[in-house]
Amino acid sequence: MPFIQTHDGVQIYYKDWGPKEAQPIVFHHGWPLSADDWDAQMLFFLANGFRAIAHDRRGHGRSSQTDTGNEMNTYAADVAALTDHLDLRHAIHAGHSTGGGEVARYVARAKPGRVAKAVLIGAVPPLMLKTEANPGGLPIEVFDGFRTALAANRAQLFLDLPTGPFYGFNRPGAVISEGTIRNWWRQGMMGGAKAHHDCIAAFSETDFTEDLKAISVPTLVMHGEDDQIVPYADSAPLSVKLLRDGTLKTYSGLPHGMCTTHPEMINADLLAFVRH
């Protein structure tokens, strides 16, 4: 399996599919998942002539189960190390949830010529946590609850989230996929408990306002209006206002995990954006 080693000795696993001369699209997964969460997008873009790349964030999936560096600056530095190693140029970077924060932090700091476009999907920017400056955010007690549940019984938490709010399977009339739930659990349990615990602060307390302002490439912001994990009103519309060249695409009734529940819709809109 392909890995790169970061400056602090961490092994980062990645997939790199397709012709090396094709335009690369790099996928950044959410907490507490892995590159496997992008299967539907990787196969689709590979079939459409792109070079499809996805990595497991440090502490997640097949990467090292780190007890340090589980915060956004290091996550972005790890991405920079990967893009340098693969010498990616004019790449599209697409991030879901926590991965959207990672994309914002990386793209804002990327070397010239590395990034052509960015996509934020159900993403955590600008800031999830409720503060005086962000009164529409979620209170710290929500994230403390995640930390408590993870420390008490991570395996049960990682069943409860996909069974309920992540995919909207708790909504009346939802078509529930047992395979999707099990796959979420499988990915989550591959990672390290310490890294997952630390990452809760990384995705909830990191303020991406200045990152969004610094991004100059065209950026598509996609968000389900029934997102129960990253509430729509305090995320996507605020991010678009901060971006220099942002486009907002919303989806009525779709959940946080819409890339998995509605890949045909999301993939088509992603393709239209990257080809435009």
Side-chain angles (χ1 to χ4, degrees), residues 2-81:
F3 290 88
I4 62 158
Q5 183 165 306
T6 66
H7 68 91
D8 58 343
V10 173
Q11 296 286 316
I12 301 292
Y13 169 82
Y14 68 94
K15 308 176 189 185
D16 182 4
W17 299 348
K20 299 300 181 279
E21 67 276 10
Q23 185 173 23
I25 179 163
V26 184
F27 295 100
H28 305 244
H29 65 80
W31 173 93
L33 303 173
S34 75
D36 294 353
D37 197 44
W38 291 106
D39 283 353
Q41 285 69 46
M42 294 277 286
L43 291 170
F44 176 82
F45 278 91
L46 185 65
N48 278 277
F50 289 83
R51 179 181 178 185
I53 298 164
H55 69 290
D56 291 353
R57 186 172 302 115
R58 64 168 54 210
H60 296 64
R62 289 140 292 204
S63 294
S64 300
Q65 292 198 8
T66 48
D67 65 337
T68 58
N70 302 307
E71 36 74 27
M72 281 294 164
N73 286 341
T74 305
Y75 294 161
D78 291 348
V79 174

Side-chain angles (χ1 to χ4, degrees), residues 235-252:
S235 52
L238 303 185
S239 289
V240 167
K241 288 180 182 178
L242 294 166
L243 290 161
R244 299 185 206 176
D245 187 3
T247 301
L248 178 61
K249 178 76 176 177
T250 60
Y251 299 85
S252 177

Side-chain angles (χ1 to χ4, degrees), residues 53-180:
I53 298 164
H55 69 290
D56 291 353
R57 186 172 302 115
R58 64 168 54 210
H60 296 64
R62 289 140 292 204
S63 294
S64 300
Q65 292 198 8
T66 48
D67 65 337
T68 58
N70 302 307
E71 36 74 27
M72 281 294 164
N73 286 341
T74 305
Y75 294 161
D78 291 348
V79 174
L82 177 63
T83 58
D84 285 351
H85 174 75
L86 297 176
D87 194 25
L88 301 183
R89 300 184 183 278
H90 308 294
I92 299 115
H93 284 264
H96 174 245
S97 197
T98 301
E102 182 177 274
V103 166
R105 180 65 42 104
Y106 165 72
V107 172
R109 303 177 177 191
K111 297 175 184 176
R114 288 288 187 205
V115 180
K117 293 181 179 181
V119 185
L120 308 179
I121 307 173
V124 297
L127 172 63
M128 284 196 74
L129 184 67
K130 182 178 181 178
T131 63
E132 285 189 15
N134 185 43
L138 296 171
I140 190 68
E141 288 78 14
V142 171
F143 306 108
D144 287 342
F146 280 141
R147 280 182 278 263
T148 299
L150 187 148
N153 191 338
R154 184 169 65 128
Q156 187 60 51
L157 174 64
F158 287 2
L159 276 180
D160 293 342
L161 286 171
T163 302
F166 197 94
Y167 295 113
F169 291 161
N170 56 346
R171 295 305 198 204
V175 178
I176 297 169
S177 167
E178 185 66 26
T180 295

Side-chain angles (χ1 to χ4, degrees), residues 221-263:
V221 180
M222 311 168 79
H223 216 104
E225 293 180 2
D226 192 33
D227 192 322
Q228 300 173 67
I229 304 296
V230 181
Y232 169 80
D234 198 59
S235 52
L238 303 185
S239 289
V240 167
K241 288 180 182 178
L242 294 166
L243 290 161
R244 299 185 206 176
D245 187 3
T247 301
L248 178 61
K249 178 76 176 177
T250 60
Y251 299 85
S252 177
L254 292 201
H256 188 61
M258 62 186 183
C259 292
T260 298
T261 60
H262 296 78

